[in-house]
Amino acid sequence: MLLGELGVFASYAFAPLSLIVPLSAVSVIASAIIGIIFIKEKWKPKDFLRRYILSFVGCGLAIMGTYLLVTFAPNSHEKMTGENITRHLVSWPFLLYMLVEIILFCLLLYFYKEKNTNNVVVILLLVALLGSMTVVTVKAVAGMLVLSIQGNLQLDYPIFYVMFVCMVATAVYQAAFLSQASQIYDSSLIASVGYILSTTVAITAGAIFYLDFVGEDVLHICMFALGCLIAFLGVFLITRNRKKAIPFEPYISMDAMPGMQNMHDKGMTVQPDLKASFSYGALENNDNISEIYTPATLPVMQEEHSSRSTPGVPYRVLEHSKKE
């Protein structure tokens, strides 16, 4: 993975951003094929075809979309010098784009944190907005490093360190939101929706910041968009076919049921928590319950009587007031 990410990092310095970002569909295709090979499940030919038919169709569509992307992607690529990056950074289209993105990000973050809106689109759109800034800064940092290695030193420009800090910060927060999404939703859903949203937002950011589509004719732009749509559909079909894990729930906690009081109305569950051992249907050990919960007993007094006394009931129950 480290070698792969280094290769992706270096590729941003030699090709337009709008071409590199959609090509992450290749990793989804490879994962699907390698997964089928290494699962080593025994299937009958009929069952195998029914089980993986969507994966094969999705791989075919993703390959077709990738071919269109490579064929009709922008070919122009300028050198990532400090002057060029600074000029793009202060251009009014990118400043307007940044304003819209910051407002949208703050709104989504408000709904996610304050309103507890855990919709998968909301979380992955936060990831996509951060990811668009990550790829923009990665391309700038990678391009300036390559030029510096080639002899044209770019590390003395302050914009390099600004881009580097933004790259690290957005990557860290992007990973944090992605980790939170993986704890709530299935990985196949995150892979498909995340790829579609991240690719769309990243291409938009690259087209505005680096002007990837300037000078391209309408036919090339339309065919590039068609290739993206076909790749999106292919990735969706590949991830759609994966089995979803069914969580094991050994019992239902009584205090998790709305309107249902528990044993002593103090947050104690009727059935035990699944910790070290599992004993289905057993009650918790309540030896430590306060004496206030022990049942009250009626005091009984035995009267002294002799053979001379008149026969009567040897025991009597004392009368207690309600307060007692």
Side-chain angles (χ1 to χ4, degrees), residues 16 28 43-44 127 159 204 229 254 262:
V28 181
W43 298 89
K44 296 180 180 180
V127 176
I159 191 63
T204 304
L229 293 177
M254 298 299 289
N262 52 35

Side-chain angles (χ1 to χ4, degrees), residues 86-107:
T86 305
R87 186 178 71 254
H88 291 312
L89 188 63
V90 298
S91 62
W92 69 265
F94 182 73
L95 294 178
L96 181 61
Y97 171 80
M98 280 295 301
L99 178 62
V100 174
E101 180 170 313
I102 291 174
I103 294 175
L104 181 59
F105 183 84
C106 292
L107 288 175

Side-chain angles (χ1 to χ4, degrees), residues 194-206:
Y195 171 75
I196 294 172
L197 293 177
S198 298
T199 301
T200 303
V201 179
I203 290 176
T204 304

Side-chain angles (χ1 to χ4, degrees), residues 7-21:
V8 173
F9 178 82
S11 65
Y12 282 101
F14 300 100
L17 188 149
S18 301
L19 171 62
I20 299 173
V21 171

